[in-house]
Amino acid sequence: TLGQLERSLADKDAALRAAVAKLEAAEAALTRADAAAKEQDDPLQALVPPDALRAQAADLLAEVLAYDDLLELYERRLRKGTIQGAAAYTRLVGDAARHQFLAKYKLKKVHGAATAKQSFQSLTQRFPHVDKADVASVLAECRFSLAEAARHLGEMSRVV
């Protein structure tokens, strides 16, 4: 009767309060997760090269790959018959291959420069007491081999 209804109402009130507490805890967890996700680095930032040399290398690599695609397209067009004659095909492929070769050459030069820069920075951090000009000359003398240059600089450090 009235006592049973009051107990039932009190039980339901307690269950409702427990459900509200769980809901608030879940909402707080979602808010924290959302805040943590916003604090994380933007994944697109991983695609941004850290310096000009690496940006140039990325551009050149994209150019080389684009010429690969272009050469494949020319081959498909030749098979379909949309390129008329071997002379036209040879001219198109020759032009694309020449540009691709130059892009690969530039990429190799830029990659070498980026590697040399990274090796130089690594060696100057590892051997801070050695003059930077000496580090550069040893690195060049070792044909930009990081391991060999580090060995030479280590020997120089022990002698001094």
Side-chain angles (χ1 to χ4, degrees):
T1 62
L2 186 59
Q4 291 174 337
L5 287 173
E6 285 178 350
R7 276 193 304 271
S8 175
L9 185 59
D11 291 343
K12 290 184 186 203
D13 184 52
L16 183 60
R17 288 181 192 274
V20 167
K22 285 182 182 179
L23 180 62
E24 288 174 347
E27 186 177 1
L30 285 173
T31 302
R32 286 191 305 273
D34 188 40
K38 287 179 183 176
E39 288 177 11
Q40 289 180 348
D41 291 337
D42 182 8
L44 294 178
Q45 289 300 316
L47 299 176
V48 177
D51 58 32
L53 278 175
R54 290 189 185 137
Q56 187 178 5
D59 289 343
L60 288 167
L61 179 59
E63 186 176 343
V64 167
L65 296 174
Y67 279 116
D68 277 342
D69 292 344
L70 183 62
L71 290 167
E72 185 179 327
L73 176 70
Y74 287 157
E75 184 178 337
R76 277 193 253 137
R77 286 183 58 201
L78 180 67
R79 277 190 247 128
K80 286 182 178 179
T82 57
I83 294 179
Q84 301 301 318
Y89 175 74
T90 304
R91 182 179 45 77
L92 290 170
V93 168
D95 287 345
R98 182 173 33 286
H99 288 291
Q100 185 184 42
F101 176 81
L102 290 173
K104 283 181 178 181
Y105 174 77
K106 290 175 188 175
L107 178 60
K108 186 176 180 180
K109 298 278 280 187
V110 168
H111 182 266
T115 302
K117 179 181 176 184
Q118 187 175 7
S119 296
F120 177 77
Q121 290 172 340
S122 174
L123 290 170
T124 55
Q125 288 175 355
R126 188 169 169 191
F127 300 100
H129 57 281
V130 178
D131 185 54
K132 290 183 178 187
D134 291 338
V135 171
S137 66
V138 167
L139 190 57
E141 183 181 310
C142 295
R143 294 191 175 120
F144 299 97
S145 167
L146 181 60
E148 190 175 339
R151 187 174 56 79
H152 282 291
L153 289 169
E155 289 172 2
M156 285 173 53
S157 297
R158 282 190 289 268
V159 170
V160 173

